[in-house]
């Protein structure tokens, strides 16, 4: 089995360039390959979804991607977003959950409202890895790229408290009122996540800056010094009981701000390790998750998955930007590129481990939504980025003030 997984990764590595230019993302290729070699077709891959290792690999992949993405976000670029990420996170994210609950209650009338609430929280976060093609493309304006990057970096962590409360409600384990439980979880998850991320990022950044100025860091250990704070942030968050996702993203922001290092010089090991772990997860997703849920797909599941990627995101994002003078073309671009991926998969693995009533419907819907997102967001990225780039250049920057960046950010 391991040989098959490695062979798939090697093949993707060899053809990644031309396929990427055509919009075939790693997730799309690897999930399709996993499905081909999985139980539904060739039956070569036999992966246990209940393994703790599967959960940790998925979590670590997302943590490393979040950390490396956040390291790129220098302070000046963050100021240039004009509060767009804040609107996406504080207005768009809660409204997305509410819209998911409302639509779910209509489409799944026989499913308990607690399970619908759980489903909405699982599919609310966008995915940093699936959206990487857009947020790293210099053809898109810096403001838009950074807004999407910050949104995907923080919304999974912010969704964790709601997800945990929804999970307890669905399993009838909640001992307090819903509002107080959400607030308590938010304080714990966000507070300890921030603490772990800041401690690891600031410590690693100061140490890197101090040692770099004195020429103490050997070249072969330079990138290890960035990978270590990412893993430290993750470990501290787990130990303290906070959100590992918030810790990773905040840790990356802190490291990038404090270290004074050029991200392009120090992030490759962290980014590539995260990408390698994500590759294993996507192969497993195609080999196992898709195979398991195919018999359970109904028209209701497919309808909710479709609406989750469209209406359930469109309305909240439109409301978040209402009255801000943002051109509708920019709003449409931002609202479309809200892919679902690793964060939702991690939530699904937790639900599978804990079990919930109507779990079959919940997990099937999550898997189908992720699969649709992998295909639709992957294949649409190249043409839509090109179209938005043309429009931006014709309209003085697309957001009214900024020209697209023609060189990659450091």
């Amino acid at each position: 089995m391991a040989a098959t997984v490695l062979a798939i990764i090697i093949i993707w590595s060899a053809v990644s360039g031309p396929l990427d230019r055509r919009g075939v993302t790693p997730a799309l290729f690897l999930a399709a390959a996993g499905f081909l070699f999985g139980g539904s077709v060739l039956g070569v891959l036999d992966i246990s979804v209940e393994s703790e290792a599967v959960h940790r690999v998925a979590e670590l992949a997302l943590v490393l991607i979040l950390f490396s993405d956040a390291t790129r976000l220098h302070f000046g670029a963050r100021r240039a977003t004009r509060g767009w990420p804040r609107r996406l996170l504080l207005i768009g994210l809660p409204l997305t959950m509410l819209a998911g609950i409302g639509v779910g209650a209509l489409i799944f009338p026989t499913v308990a409202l607690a399970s619908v609430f759980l489903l909405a929280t699982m599919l609310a976060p966008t995915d940093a890895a699936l959206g990487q093609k857009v947020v790293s493309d210099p053809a898109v304006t810096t403001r838009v790229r950074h807004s999407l990057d910050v949104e995907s970096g923080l919304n999974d962590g912010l969704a964790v408290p709601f997800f945990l409360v929804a999970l307890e409600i669905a399993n009838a384990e909640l001992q307090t009122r819903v509002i107080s439980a959400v607030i308590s979880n938010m304080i714990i998850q966000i507070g300890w996540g921030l603490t772990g991320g800041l401690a690891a990022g600031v410590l690693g950044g100061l140490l890197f800056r101090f040692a770099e100025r004195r020429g103490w860091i050997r070249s072969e250990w330079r990138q290890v010094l960035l990978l270590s704070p990412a893993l430290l942030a993750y470990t501290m968050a787990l130990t303290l009981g906070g959100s590992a996702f918030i810790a990773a993203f905040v840790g990356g922001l802190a490291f990038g701000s404090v270290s004074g290092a050029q991200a392009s010089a120090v992030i490759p090991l962290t980014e590539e390790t995260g990408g390698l772990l994500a590759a294993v997860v996507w192969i497993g997703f195609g080999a196992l998750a898709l195979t398991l849920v195919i018999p359970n797909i109904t028209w209701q599941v497919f309808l909710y998955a479709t609406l989750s990627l469209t209406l359930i995101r469109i309305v909240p994002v439109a409301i978040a930007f209402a009255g801000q003078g943002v051109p509708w073309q920019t709003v449409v671009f931002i609202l479309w590129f809200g892919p679902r991926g690793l964060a939702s998969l991690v939530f699904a693995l937790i639900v599978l481990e804990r079990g919930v009533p109507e779990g079959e419907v919940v997990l099937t819907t999550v898997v189908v939504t992720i699969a649709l997102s992998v295909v639709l967001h992957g294949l649409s990225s190249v043409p839509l980025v090109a179209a938005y780039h043309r429009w931006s250049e014709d309209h003085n920057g697309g957001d009214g003030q900024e020209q697209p960046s023609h060189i990659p950010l450091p």
Side-chain angles (χ1 to χ4, degrees):
M1 182 182 72
T4 304
V5 170
L6 292 172
I8 293 172
I9 293 174
I10 290 171
I11 293 171
W12 163 254
S13 301
V15 299
S16 57
L19 290 182
D20 181 71
R21 289 191 291 272
R22 290 165 175 78
V24 179
T25 62
L28 178 55
F29 179 91
L30 296 167
F35 182 75
L36 175 64
F37 286 94
S40 293
V41 186
L42 300 179
V44 176
L45 293 175
D46 182 20
I47 303 172
S48 174
V49 73
E50 297 177 356
S51 169
E52 176 71 13
V54 173
H55 184 178
R56 291 304 173 202
V57 167
E59 206 168 53
L60 272 173
L62 183 56
V63 161
L64 295 179
I65 290 169
L66 289 173
F67 190 93
S68 58
D69 279 356
T71 304
R72 288 194 181 94
L73 296 176
H74 54 82
F75 182 70
R78 295 200 295 274
R79 286 189 303 174
T81 59
R82 292 191 309 179
W84 288 4
R86 184 167 61 249
R87 302 188 72 83
L88 288 168
L89 293 168
L90 300 183
I91 299 175
L93 180 62
L95 289 180
T96 298
M97 292 184 192
L98 290 174
I101 294 171
V103 172
L106 293 175
I107 294 178
F108 302 113
T110 61
V111 174
L113 188 59
S115 295
V116 174
F117 176 27
L118 180 64
L119 174 62
T121 62
M122 294 170 71
L123 290 175
T126 55
D127 183 79
L130 280 182
Q132 208 167 44
K133 172 70 176 176
V134 174
V135 301
S136 63
D137 196 319
V140 181
T141 58
T142 304
R143 183 170 294 154
V144 172
R145 285 191 286 122
H146 282 287
S147 296
L148 289 171
D149 208 358
V150 174
E151 180 198 17
S152 64
L154 288 177
N155 63 7
D156 35 26
L158 295 177
V160 167
F162 296 94
F163 166 73
L164 294 176
V165 171
L167 185 58
E168 291 182 359
I169 296 173
N171 284 328
E173 297 172 351
L174 191 65
Q175 302 297 320
T176 60
R177 292 182 179 179
V178 174
I179 295 178
S180 61
V182 169
I183 294 174
S184 175
N185 268 285
M186 288 187 73
I187 292 172
I188 294 171
Q189 293 289 321
I190 297 174
W192 288 123
L194 285 171
T195 301
L198 284 172
V202 170
L203 175 63
L206 289 175
L207 184 59
F208 182 92
R209 192 182 192 118
F210 180 83
E212 179 74 357
R213 286 181 174 179
R214 286 157 178 77
W216 290 356
I217 309 174
R218 289 176 61 89
S219 58
E220 64 266 28
W221 288 98
R222 182 180 301 273
Q223 293 183 37
V224 175
L225 192 52
L226 177 61
L227 177 62
S228 300
L231 297 177
L232 179 60
Y234 171 70
T235 304
M236 289 183 67
L238 289 183
T239 303
L240 296 171
S243 168
F245 305 143
I246 288 180
F249 195 77
V250 171
L253 289 175
F255 185 93
S257 298
V258 171
S259 67
Q262 290 291 319
S264 59
V266 295
I267 65 170
L269 179 62
T270 303
E271 190 171 47
E272 290 166 10
T273 302
L276 180 61
L277 294 177
V280 175
V281 173
W282 287 120
I283 293 172
F285 174 78
L288 184 63
L290 288 176
T291 300
L292 290 177
V293 304
I294 284 176
N296 303 322
I297 297 177
T298 62
W299 68 267
Q300 292 97 330
V301 166
F302 191 81
L303 177 61
Y304 187 92
T306 303
L307 292 176
S308 179
L309 300 178
T310 53
L311 182 67
I312 292 175
R313 177 167 170 87
I314 287 173
V315 174
V317 172
I319 292 174
F321 282 102
Q324 299 302 301
V326 183
W328 68 265
Q329 292 88 345
T330 296
V331 175
V332 168
F333 187 85
I334 290 175
L335 65 84
W336 171 244
F337 284 108
R340 312 304 196 278
L342 287 177
S344 297
L345 270 179
V346 172
F347 290 163
L349 290 169
I350 295 172
V351 169
L352 187 64
E353 181 183 354
R354 292 274 295 273
V356 295
E358 291 100 9
E360 185 179 277
V361 173
V362 172
L363 292 173
T364 299
T365 305
V366 169
V367 169
V368 171
T369 304
I370 295 171
L372 282 178
S373 182
V374 168
V375 175
L376 297 177
H377 288 110
L379 295 180
S380 66
S381 60
V382 171
L384 290 185
V385 165
Y388 184 71
H389 176 62
R390 289 194 299 270
W391 177 84
S392 296
E393 289 196 320
D394 291 342
H395 293 79
N396 298 319
D399 51 26
Q401 296 186 29
E402 178 189 18
Q403 292 291 340
S405 169
H406 293 282
I407 58 173
L409 290 176

